[in-house]
Amino acid sequence: MTAGQQRAWDRLWPRYGALAPGFDRDGEGPTPPLRDGRLDAPSWFGREAPLRLEIGSGMGETTAALALAEPDTDHVAVEVYPPGLGQLLLRIEEHGITNLRLLRGDAVVVLEDLVAPDALAGLRVYYPDPWPKRRHHKRRLVQPATVALMASRLAPGATLHLATDVADYAEQMREVTDAEPLLVNPHGGFAPRPDWRPRTKFESRAEREGRPSRDLLLVRTGPEGSAP
């Protein structure tokens, strides 16, 4: 971490951050409030509100902007790497963001162990690691079992939003989500790029290099597979 990120971590992590259970890469740390073994978001945020989860918040530019744009919704960012979390803490302080909390841990474990079924108002996965070598594709996050887990944690009518600038990963995402019975695709394919998703400098650079981003917006089905 940079010196500024480290200072933000030392000052703000106990207030806004927590270590997911079982994630002990760097020893002990504060854990999020739990109720019946699951994340107790109302206790963590101090209010009852819809909850959105982001997997892989990176350096937090998009995360902070979306939390600011939705003050009536609570947001949890799941990330592994301290520099990104430290930078996001700086953004929280700079903009006075109160509806954002950070979880350091493995995303699949967080979904399995901390998030209750039907609990999320939305789930975002933007630009996950593409593992570009073919022999490493099995390490990609968006796989059938993981997408089934994600869908099960969404409330009926809630949205799973995926985005990538890697063409073959985008096609894999589409194939996997098309095969998930708990999800419907109202666009029938890739969605038009939402104006509300912030355009980062990394996305702009990818576009200049001929790698346009593709978005998938999937909706969790209602009871017994009905349309939400």
Side-chain angles (χ1 to χ4, degrees):
M1 288 192 284
T2 66
Q5 291 165 353
Q6 184 65 60
R7 287 193 296 269
W9 184 284
D10 295 340
R11 187 171 62 253
L12 301 173
W13 182 253
R15 178 178 177 185
Y16 295 103
L19 199 65
F23 191 84
D24 56 358
R25 183 174 300 184
D26 292 320
E28 297 181 357
T31 56
L34 304 179
R35 184 175 182 180
D36 298 328
R38 301 286 191 176
L39 178 67
D40 186 357
S43 292
W44 208 6
F45 289 92
R47 66 175 185 173
E48 292 276 355
L51 181 66
R52 299 190 190 276
L53 187 78
E54 180 175 1
I55 294 175
S57 53
M59 300 305 285
E61 179 180 358
T62 294
T63 309
L66 291 176
L68 278 170
E70 293 186 302
D72 295 329
T73 301
D74 291 332
H75 301 253
V76 172
V78 181
E79 179 57 72
V80 172
Y81 297 106
L85 292 167
Q87 189 65 36
L88 185 49
L89 288 168
L90 285 171
R91 298 181 196 277
I92 287 173
E93 184 174 56
E94 177 184 1
H95 299 289
I97 302 172
T98 60
N99 61 329
L100 177 59
R101 300 291 184 270
L102 318 184
L103 263 179
R104 187 170 185 227
D106 179 270
V108 173
V109 174
V110 168
L111 289 171
E112 288 178 336
D113 295 347
L114 286 186
V115 181
D118 304 332
L120 298 176
L123 201 161
R124 302 190 295 263
V125 185
Y126 295 159
Y127 305 95
D129 192 329
W131 292 99
K133 294 182 179 179
R134 183 172 295 276
R135 67 178 182 271
H136 293 158
H137 283 187
K138 61 182 180 294
R139 300 184 184 182
R140 288 175 168 177
L141 178 66
V142 181
Q143 305 284 353
T146 309
V147 168
L149 175 62
M150 293 178 185
S152 74
R153 269 41 183 175
L154 293 170
T159 300
L160 171 62
H161 187 181
L162 308 176
T164 183
D165 60 359
V166 179
D168 74 288
Y169 200 1
E171 292 297 335
Q172 177 180 330
M173 289 177 174
R174 180 175 175 180
E175 291 174 6
V176 170
T177 54
D178 281 350
E180 172 49 53
L182 288 180
L183 297 172
V184 294
N185 187 337
H187 298 278
F190 296 112
R193 188 194 185 285
D195 292 337
W196 44 262
R197 180 169 68 75
R199 188 182 298 275
T200 66
K201 62 182 180 181
F202 300 102
E203 181 180 357
S204 298
R205 184 176 65 187
E207 288 179 345
R208 291 194 301 270
E209 295 173 354
R211 293 182 284 112
S213 293
R214 293 171 174 83
D215 289 76
L216 282 167
L217 287 163
L218 300 311
V219 180
R220 166 71 193 274
T221 60
E224 299 180 356
S226 63

